[in-house]
Amino acid sequence: MNKLFTILSIVALGFTACEGDPGPQGPPGLDAEIPAVYEETADFNFDAEGNLWTSQEFGYNGILDGDIIIVYLNLGDGLWTNLPVSYFDDQGEFQYVYDFDFTSGTALLSIIGDSDLSTLDDFYTAGVPIRIAFIPSDLIAQFDKTPTLSELMTTLDINESEVQLRK
């Protein structure tokens, strides 16, 4: 009986909550305006050692882990395609890809490929129009596949005039 009492005492002690200093106040709430579409201009720099091109970082505040980020590349004449996207030329294939870091709130685009990318024309590496779309996780159920930019803007009721230009 004594052993049972000891075991029950230890278990009860384990379920007892400790109380102490509540700690410092956390940061204020996030003020992200999403869903949203931002238009940016990407300029890429060549990394000869890695044989890839990387853009400047694009920073955004208030994006939560779990939100959906889609990057679109302007193909001209109002046509946009989502990344990754592949191009083929006489030297081989190259792709535009992106990574979004939720901790820092930054997007970084890269051009990767299977041939010497140092010869890419400025058309592909300088002043490249992109759009970055942010979709709150609770709205992603509205899409059964990765939407085109037009589908995304129609479904989320974002007008062309509401695209936020950042240069």
Side-chain angles (χ1 to χ4, degrees), residues 32-38 133-136 139 152 156-158 162 164:
E33 293 182 31
I34 59 174
V37 177
Y38 293 87
F134 297 100
I135 308 166
L139 295 181
L152 178 126
L156 298 179
D157 197 26
I158 299 173
E162 296 172 312
Q164 300 178 39

Side-chain angles (χ1 to χ4, degrees), residues 22 30 35 44 58 61 69 80-81 85-86 90 99 107 112 116 126 129 133 146 157 160 164-165:
L30 302 173
F44 294 84
F58 301 97
N61 294 322
I69 291 83
W80 297 86
T81 188
V85 64
S86 297
D90 23 337
D99 184 40
I112 59 173
D116 178 11
T146 303
D157 197 26
E160 188 67 29
Q164 300 178 39
L165 302 175

Side-chain angles (χ1 to χ4, degrees), residues 7 14 21 63 70 76 81 99 124 141 159 163:
I7 292 173
D21 184 9
I63 306 304
I70 305 174
T81 188
D99 184 40
Y124 299 107
N159 297 315
V163 172

Side-chain angles (χ1 to χ4, degrees), residues 21-120:
D21 184 9
Q25 178 69 30
L30 302 173
D31 58 357
E33 293 182 31
I34 59 174
V37 177
Y38 293 87
E39 185 165 327
E40 306 273 6
T41 301
D43 291 304
F44 294 84
N45 293 306
F46 185 66
D47 172 12
E49 186 175 315
N51 187 43
L52 63 98
W53 293 82
T54 55
S55 72
Q56 72 274 30
E57 288 186 341
F58 301 97
Y60 301 91
N61 294 322
I63 306 304
L64 301 174
D65 193 3
D67 290 342
I68 307 303
I69 291 83
I70 305 174
V71 178
Y72 296 90
L73 178 74
N74 188 331
L75 300 175
D77 295 327
L79 298 173
W80 297 86
T81 188
N82 59 305
L83 300 188
V85 64
S86 297
Y87 281 87
F88 299 90
D89 63 12
D90 23 337
Q91 294 182 0
E93 174 191 15
F94 63 93
Q95 285 187 325
Y96 287 90
V97 297
Y98 74 96
D99 184 40
F100 189 85
D101 183 338
F102 286 94
T103 304
S104 64
T106 56
L108 181 69
L109 281 69
S110 300
I111 303 173
I112 59 173
D114 64 358
S115 61
D116 178 11
L117 297 179
S118 66
T119 61
L120 281 182

